[in-house]
Amino acid sequence: MNRIDAKTFIRAWVEFSKEFTSKNPNWLDSYQSSSSWSSLFLGGKKSTEENSPIGNFFKDKFALRYRVEDGLFDLAFSSAENFKEIPYLYRNVLDYFEPEYFFPAYYDIIMEIENVYVCAWQEMTKLTWVRCPLKVLVTYNGIKEKQKENEMLIQSFQTIIKQAIGAYPENPETEYVLIVGNDLNQNLNWECFVFSSEGKQKHTEKIDG
């Protein structure tokens, strides 16, 4: 399949968000509790390849497999098949392991969700550690100081990306997406910021719910 770029992901994210809130009219009650909110759209915090609202949405839209709580990451998507023909010895006889579960040869998208914006930098660092064409962080801020908080988040993301590639270069086609939500006027609103593999801000999009 064709690579899913940042702008395509953002359009799909907005579509999912609107569909999700329309199906969950009491979403604002869960939003007030960060753990309940994440569990609601992730489908819980257990490692699984099914029953995730956001996972199933992207699976159906882009023909992607997914896994919630896949190792380091809250959510990972892949269009790739699993690794194959992995040799191992069983009672000194050579055989080949064929993974049955989610062991894709590569990721298409990895996502981290951090409900407390002041801790978001910790999740940002995780995104820089692996190869993946699209890396997404979703977090939330307050309403009164959201502009200052957004500026801090952008600066944090850029600082971390630049320090990471300073140690080891990344594929120049890699994109990062920072999605910041708030519940202004009791709507689910998003501000999206796209960064290059070098940490340069290349696109901004604001979506009111």
Side-chain angles (χ1 to χ4, degrees):
M1 65 167 293
N2 295 327
R3 186 173 72 88
I4 300 169
D5 63 16
K7 290 183 180 179
T8 301
F9 179 89
I10 290 170
R11 287 194 296 270
W13 174 264
V14 173
E15 185 181 345
F16 163 73
S17 175
K18 291 180 178 179
E19 179 182 297
F20 182 75
T21 52
S22 68
K23 290 181 177 179
N24 295 274
N26 296 322
W27 68 268
L28 193 57
D29 294 335
S30 296
Y31 185 90
Q32 306 302 325
S33 169
S34 58
S35 58
S36 296
W37 172 246
S38 292
S39 294
L40 186 63
F41 75 83
L42 275 175
K45 295 294 285 183
K46 293 183 178 180
S47 187
T48 181
E49 298 174 41
E50 55 186 15
N51 300 325
S52 167
I54 185 173
N56 289 338
F57 179 89
F58 276 82
K59 175 182 178 181
D60 294 341
K61 189 172 185 65
F62 296 111
L64 296 170
R65 296 191 297 147
Y66 73 86
R67 190 168 182 85
V68 176
E69 294 294 327
D70 185 54
L72 283 174
F73 306 110
D74 290 329
L75 185 58
F77 293 97
S78 179
S79 59
E81 295 182 355
N82 282 345
F83 286 99
K84 298 178 179 180
E85 299 179 358
I86 303 169
Y88 72 99
L89 284 175
Y90 178 69
R91 295 180 179 177
N92 211 32
V93 176
L94 180 65
D95 204 344
Y96 293 90
F97 184 68
E98 300 285 348
E100 297 179 6
Y101 304 108
F102 189 77
F103 285 92
Y106 58 83
Y107 288 134
D108 288 87
I109 307 168
I110 53 176
M111 292 183 65
E112 277 295 303
I113 294 97
E114 175 52 60
N115 297 305
V116 183
Y117 80 92
V118 293
C119 299
W121 69 269
Q122 298 174 26
E123 311 309 313
M124 292 173 186
T125 63
K126 295 179 186 178
L127 297 177
T128 66
W129 293 344
V130 298
R131 295 181 304 170
C132 181
L134 184 60
K135 310 178 188 185
V136 181
L137 173 69
V138 180
T139 190
Y140 306 88
N141 62 15
I143 295 173
K144 293 182 180 179
E145 301 293 335
K146 74 182 186 72
Q147 186 60 41
K148 289 183 178 179
E149 291 169 1
N150 283 353
E151 291 172 359
M152 181 275 297
L153 288 166
I154 291 168
Q155 186 176 350
S156 295
F157 220 155
Q158 290 178 314
T159 298
I160 289 167
I161 294 170
K162 289 175 182 178
Q163 289 182 18
I165 65 165
Y168 191 80
E170 188 163 38
N171 188 312
E173 294 184 2
T174 300
E175 292 182 301
Y176 290 85
V177 181
L178 169 64
I179 299 179
V180 186
N182 67 68
D183 59 345
L184 181 65
N185 298 324
Q186 296 188 333
N187 292 318
L188 188 53
N189 312 290
W190 305 104
E191 291 185 76
C192 306
F193 309 92
V194 180
F195 305 89
S196 71
S197 63
E198 298 177 337
K200 296 178 181 177
Q201 190 174 341
K202 52 191 284 190
H203 179 71
T204 301
E205 195 167 332
K206 183 177 180 181
I207 303 102
D208 294 326

